[in-house]
Amino acid sequence: MTSIRRALLSVSDKTGLLPLAKALAAKNVELIASGGTAKTLMEAGLKVTPVETLSGKGEAFQGRMKTISFEIASSLLFRREDPQDIEQAAKLGISPIDLVVVNLYPFHETLKKQAGFEECIENIDIGGPTLLRAGAKNFRSVTVLCEPSQYEEFQKEFTEKNGTTSFEFRQKCAARVYTMTSFYDLAIAGFLTQSTGDALRYGENPHQKAFVMKDPFQEGLAHARSLQGKEMSYNNYLDSDFALKTLQDVHNWQGNKSLPTAVVVKHNTPCGLAIAETPLRALEKAWKGDEKSSFGGIIALNFAVTEEVAAFFSEKFVEVILAPSFAEGAREKLKKNCRVMEVNLQTKPSWNVRSIEGGLLVQEQDTFDLSQSKVATKNNFAEDKKHLAGFAMLAVKNLKSNAIALCRQEGPEFELLTMGSGQTNRIDCIEKLITSRLQDKNIKDVSDVVLASDAFFPFADSVQVAAKLGVKYIVQPGGSVKDNEVIAEADKLGIAMMFTGRRHFLH
């Protein structure tokens, strides 16, 4: 990496600008600047090269055109390590710019003060993101600073490394650029989307504004078209997305020999899940997982909705039905206010993004893998129950932690018998929720079911409560410092236990 010899400065926020510029000038770095930035630097007595000297043209259109030009973009983009690029730059008279210091028009602040439409539009920065992204793309050679908070660290690098910066620092700065411009563009897209009539009626509650933004690089629920019924709401989308992800998990687990599967979701929690030999049986079993909660729920199916399937809903209220296809006669049988959506299962896991105050949390989607499973107890885990254990872990994976699921198998058919989720401790899941729901269903014998936990048992007490219910099989991730005590208690109480080695927290 050669020394930084030329720097382009164009900032709306002048915080820290002069100390930075003076530090650069002291090392004989040429300062190239535009508009108000150039004026500020010159008033401080610094020598400045106006951007129009490079572009050959001055500002135009009341300041809308300042820094965008072939000459300036080329100075940032040509590859310093590529002989062909170097030769072409020389022929074009392009000299490299090694440092970009740009921050963007204050679009967010303009929104916050509830400015008028025209003022918001004028505060959409075009040249700034262009320069930042060009420099960031070429971070092997170009250092890009997009926030005043970076100046101090840069100056330390610049001093310690004798007028240059490290590859690691430049890459970190490039990542920051793309993060900043993505949030910047997201705010603009949200502002314009709300103004085009594409907004949802409201968010989770009537006083909250909401809209759906469609990722042009992926397919999925956001792009699905409702065939009939009311407009999809914010909550409908959340629950439908969860139902489809659960259905996708089941599909991946079954492989190419997928049997009819039905998922019922209520308030972002699967309350019914079943695999059966016929579509109607799958739907009936899933609905009975929790009949009270199924009322007003979201239904996701991996099979076509026929007239027979549609007839199942004649006396039932559901918000949304998602399926690969709907027969024309089936749609006529469904209630007119029921939202009907044709969807395809997505096979590629995507990133999971959740907002927090001031940013986003990004993680890989939780995937399902039983390849590391092993029986931990001396008590034998029957072979036919091992497959059921897989289904049970799949079911509990999609429940809010702490979570427990009880699942049953009859021949090739599987069902979520009952579950407990969203509790602050695992004992309450088993003792209160599971016990009460088994009583509601008048289920007295659970010796043939598998109990699954989304995370390890920290103590042996969960095993003791399960034993009181009559549970004989447990599957859990393992990994507790007290695993040996838990295993010993299971052996003592006649319970076979399997460890999967993979936790499935869902918050």
Side-chain angles (χ1 to χ4, degrees):
M1 173 67 183
T2 57
S3 298
I4 294 174
R5 296 172 182 171
R6 303 173 82 215
L8 173 61
L9 302 95
S10 179
V11 296
S12 57
D13 182 353
K14 305 298 190 290
T15 303
L17 173 64
L18 289 179
L20 173 64
K22 288 176 181 178
L24 293 170
K27 291 286 188 179
N28 297 316
V29 176
E30 179 185 358
L31 304 180
I32 305 163
S34 66
T37 304
K39 181 180 178 182
T40 299
L41 296 178
M42 287 187 287
E43 287 177 349
L46 295 168
K47 184 180 178 181
V48 176
T49 301
V51 291
E52 50 264 36
T53 303
L54 276 68
S55 67
K57 295 180 175 64
E59 290 189 16
F61 314 119
Q62 302 175 59
R64 280 193 167 198
M65 279 294 292
K66 283 182 288 194
T67 54
I68 300 175
S69 72
F70 176 86
E71 291 75 14
I72 293 174
S74 297
S75 296
L76 296 172
L77 282 167
F78 87 85
R79 287 160 288 198
R80 296 5 176 209
E81 72 281 2
D82 188 301
Q84 187 175 338
D85 278 18
I86 293 169
E87 182 182 354
Q88 192 166 20
K91 287 180 180 179
L92 293 169
I94 301 295
S95 297
I97 293 175
D98 312 301
L99 171 66
V100 179
V101 183
V102 171
N103 49 62
L104 307 179
Y105 291 174
F107 182 78
H108 288 79
E109 287 71 19
T110 307
L111 290 182
K112 286 177 184 177
K113 70 177 186 180
Q114 298 183 327
F117 185 81
E118 289 302 323
E119 185 178 350
C120 289
I121 295 300
E122 288 308 312
N123 274 280
I124 296 176
D125 201 332
I126 302 300
T130 300
L131 296 175
L132 288 172
R133 292 170 68 86
K137 178 174 181 175
N138 206 17
F139 72 88
R140 288 183 178 86
S141 304
V142 181
T143 305
V144 187
L145 306 178
C146 59
E147 296 178 283
S149 60
Q150 296 173 293
Y151 297 170
E152 184 178 346
E153 186 179 1
F154 165 77
Q155 287 177 246
K156 184 179 179 182
E157 280 262 332
F158 185 66
T159 301
E160 291 178 352
K161 292 183 170 46
N162 197 27
T164 185
T165 56
S166 67
F167 178 88
E168 291 75 20
F169 178 77
R170 294 192 300 277
Q171 183 172 355
K172 182 171 69 172
C173 290
R176 198 155 176 176
V177 161
Y178 287 111
T179 299
M180 169 173 277
T181 55
S182 66
F183 275 98
Y184 193 81
D185 287 343
L186 186 65
I188 296 167
F191 168 72
L192 293 175
T193 299
Q194 291 183 75
S195 305
T196 58
D198 292 330
L200 301 174
R201 286 184 299 160
Y202 53 80
E204 284 183 284
N205 300 291
H207 62 276
Q208 295 172 270
K209 293 180 180 179
F211 51 91
V212 59
M213 300 184 72
K214 300 175 183 179
D215 185 343
F217 303 105
Q218 291 193 58
E219 297 178 356
L221 179 63
H223 299 270
R225 184 173 62 91
S226 181
L227 301 181
Q228 71 180 48
K230 296 185 292 184
E231 174 191 349
M232 287 282 285
S233 72
Y234 182 94
N235 292 335
N236 291 155
Y237 273 116
L238 283 181
D239 287 343
S240 296
D241 184 60
F242 203 84
L244 287 175
K245 286 175 180 174
T246 304
L247 196 63
Q248 181 65 60
D249 277 342
V250 179
H251 174 79
N252 293 341
W253 179 70
Q254 291 191 88
N256 295 327
K257 298 180 180 179
S258 295
L259 289 172
T261 305
V263 180
V264 185
V265 168
K266 187 70 169 289
H267 294 307
N268 227 219
T269 300
C271 54
L273 173 61
I275 300 171
E277 292 187 287
T278 67
L280 202 56
R281 277 182 61 81
L283 187 52
E284 289 170 344
K285 284 176 173 288
W287 186 269
K288 289 179 180 178
D290 186 346
E291 289 194 69
K292 291 179 182 177
S293 298
S294 295
F295 180 86
I298 307 291
I299 313 295
L301 311 170
N302 72 343
F303 48 83
V305 175
T306 61
E307 291 188 40
E308 181 185 28
V309 172
F312 175 83
F313 297 103
S314 61
E315 301 299 324
K316 297 175 175 64
F317 169 62
V318 293
E319 290 280 0
V320 184
I321 302 175
L322 307 122
S325 62
F326 292 81
E328 192 64 35
R331 287 170 54 185
E332 293 175 1
K333 287 182 177 292
L334 295 171
K335 295 176 181 178
K336 298 304 178 186
N337 63 346
C338 175
R339 301 163 181 86
V340 171
M341 301 190 79
E342 282 187 349
V343 292
N344 293 314
L345 296 181
Q346 299 299 298
T347 56
K348 295 180 180 178
S350 59
W351 291 97
N352 177 266
V353 181
R354 296 178 68 175
S355 62
I356 58 173
E357 193 70 29
L360 298 175
L361 293 174
V362 183
Q363 68 171 352
E364 290 181 318
Q365 292 281 8
D366 184 16
T367 54
F368 188 66
D369 184 2
L370 292 173
S371 62
Q372 302 302 312
S373 297
K374 62 180 182 180
V375 178
T377 53
K378 294 176 183 177
N379 295 321
N380 182 48
F381 210 104
E383 285 300 317
D384 63 322
K385 292 294 185 284
K386 288 182 181 178
H387 199 49
L388 175 57
F391 177 82
M393 280 304 297
L394 184 150
V396 84
K397 167 186 177 292
N398 293 298
L399 296 172
K400 296 297 175 69
S401 57
N402 289 307
I404 295 290
L406 260 66
C407 296
R408 181 168 59 190
Q409 179 180 4
E410 294 178 334
E413 299 184 341
F414 298 82
E415 65 180 312
L416 172 61
L417 194 62
T418 188
M419 58 83 179
S421 68
Q423 298 301 298
T424 53
N425 67 76
R426 210 157 295 280
I427 285 293
D428 281 353
C429 273
I430 306 174
E431 199 163 44
K432 295 179 182 178
L433 297 180
I434 296 293
T435 303
S436 63
R437 287 176 177 174
L438 288 175
Q439 289 173 347
D440 289 344
K441 292 186 169 189
N442 197 29
I443 297 174
K444 297 178 181 179
D445 183 5
V446 292
S447 59
D448 63 338
V449 308
V450 170
L451 181 151
S453 172
D454 63 340
F456 63 65
F457 290 162
F459 305 103
D461 50 5
S462 295
V463 176
Q464 293 164 353
V465 175
K468 288 180 182 178
L469 292 175
V471 171
K472 296 297 181 183
Y473 297 94
I474 292 176
V475 58
Q476 56 131 322
S480 168
V481 295
K482 294 185 180 294
D483 272 351
N484 289 336
E485 293 180 22
V486 174
I487 293 168
E489 190 66 16
D491 277 325
K492 174 184 171 183
L493 296 172
I495 291 176
M497 184 180 294
M498 182 186 293
F499 286 176
T500 66
R502 178 171 289 207
R503 190 182 75 183
H504 292 293
F505 269 161
L506 181 61
H507 288 85

